[in-house]
Amino acid sequence: MGLQDAAGNGDRVFSEAFTADGRMRMNDPHVTAVMTISCTAAPGSYEVRIGSGGDRNLSEVTRLWGRVWVAPAEEAERAACARRVSELPPESQEERWPADVEWPASPWDVRSLRAGREMTVTDDLEMGGDGDVTLTSPVFTRPVVMYGAKKVSAVVRIRCDAKPGLYTVVWREKGKPSKVWARLRVEPAAPDCRDPAPTLADMVERATPWLAAGICSAALVVGVRALKRRRRARPPLSS
């Protein structure tokens, strides 16, 4: 059973006749949800409701979308139904948003990007402050900081050697817990793909911890040697 154009992205669809609640997801050009009728549902008519944000409390913001009729079934039909349901693949959580919508429109707004390519990421909800958010992903050439006055954004580049597959983008904001903010699907790189050479800022950033440790070690050695020299230069005590 499917629904479309009946609610907003992320809303829950529920009924006592379903095996589990459905969730409305953007599947360009429509918002859709897929639910399975329970093999043990008794014959009869059942309400189908939509709750904003997934609230199933009927006294809250929900609305009646319609009804579903469950037909009578013999025991053999119910047994066959149970086998079919057990073999169903897990429902995909990925969403397909229109190409002209800024990415990501939601944490499950999965866009495909070829390894070696760049993409602009934007925080449309204005949740992050200018320079306060760093985005990381195992397929980025480097972590990026988001900047902006009204809304923050950044340009990310996918490593040429990134293997095809689905990857997460983690949002790290000063003073707050990290979270999975977006997901992207990486496609194979072009044969002539080359990652850009590291900038001076990249090299300084990577070298800073080692440089600091080297300076401390050097200072320690110099300090010990100076102490030894002072000890050797000290005149013997007279009796």
Side-chain angles (χ1 to χ4, degrees):
M1 176 181 182
L3 297 175
Q4 66 180 32
D5 298 332
N9 191 69
D11 286 354
R12 289 281 184 179
V13 183
F14 50 92
S15 172
E16 295 301 322
F18 299 159
T19 57
D21 294 353
R23 181 181 287 274
M24 303 298 292
R25 301 186 189 280
M26 172 57 73
N27 188 16
D28 185 33
H30 302 291
V31 179
T32 64
V34 177
M35 290 77 63
T36 302
I37 303 298
S38 173
C39 300
T40 60
S45 177
Y46 295 83
E47 288 185 346
V48 176
R49 287 188 168 271
I50 295 177
S52 177
D55 197 337
R56 294 190 61 170
N57 185 347
L58 299 186
S59 65
E60 299 296 334
V61 182
T62 66
R63 63 189 179 92
L64 181 65
W65 178 82
R67 293 179 178 273
V68 60
W69 170 260
V70 177
E74 302 292 337
E75 287 302 317
E77 292 178 288
R78 292 183 182 276
C81 169
R83 286 194 298 271
R84 289 195 300 272
V85 170
S86 67
E87 295 170 355
L88 290 174
E91 181 190 353
S92 174
Q93 299 184 69
E94 295 184 24
E95 299 168 3
R96 297 287 181 269
W97 287 77
D100 59 350
V101 174
E102 292 180 327
W103 180 78
S106 79
W108 280 101
D109 174 11
V110 179
R111 311 283 177 102
S112 293
L113 189 63
R114 197 168 191 177
R117 295 292 187 87
E118 293 182 344
M119 177 183 282
T120 299
V121 294
T122 304
D123 175 27
D124 248 351
L125 299 178
E126 302 180 14
M127 306 245 340
D130 181 30
D132 290 338
V133 176
T134 300
L135 300 180
T136 61
S137 176
V139 293
F140 289 175
T141 53
R142 62 188 300 274
V144 296
V145 179
M146 303 185 79
Y147 296 101
K150 294 183 178 180
K151 59 182 179 181
V152 293
S153 63
V155 176
V156 300
R157 184 181 179 94
I158 309 302
R159 297 193 336 261
C160 289
D161 63 352
K163 297 184 181 301
L166 184 67
Y167 294 90
T168 59
V169 177
V170 175
W171 170 291
R172 304 181 189 279
E173 186 172 1
K174 295 176 182 178
K176 296 183 180 181
S178 301
K179 63 181 180 180
V180 174
W181 181 66
R183 292 167 175 84
L184 60 89
R185 188 173 300 282
V186 174
E187 297 178 346
D192 60 347
C193 185
R194 297 290 183 275
D195 289 331
T199 64
L200 179 60
D202 293 336
M203 292 187 287
V204 169
E205 182 179 349
R206 295 173 185 172
T208 298
W210 298 99
L211 182 61
I215 292 173
C216 291
S217 299
L220 177 61
V221 171
V222 171
V224 170
R225 287 179 179 172
L227 179 60
K228 288 182 178 179
R229 284 199 298 271
R230 285 199 299 272
R231 285 178 176 175
R232 285 198 295 269
R234 183 179 298 173
L237 295 173
S238 57
S239 57

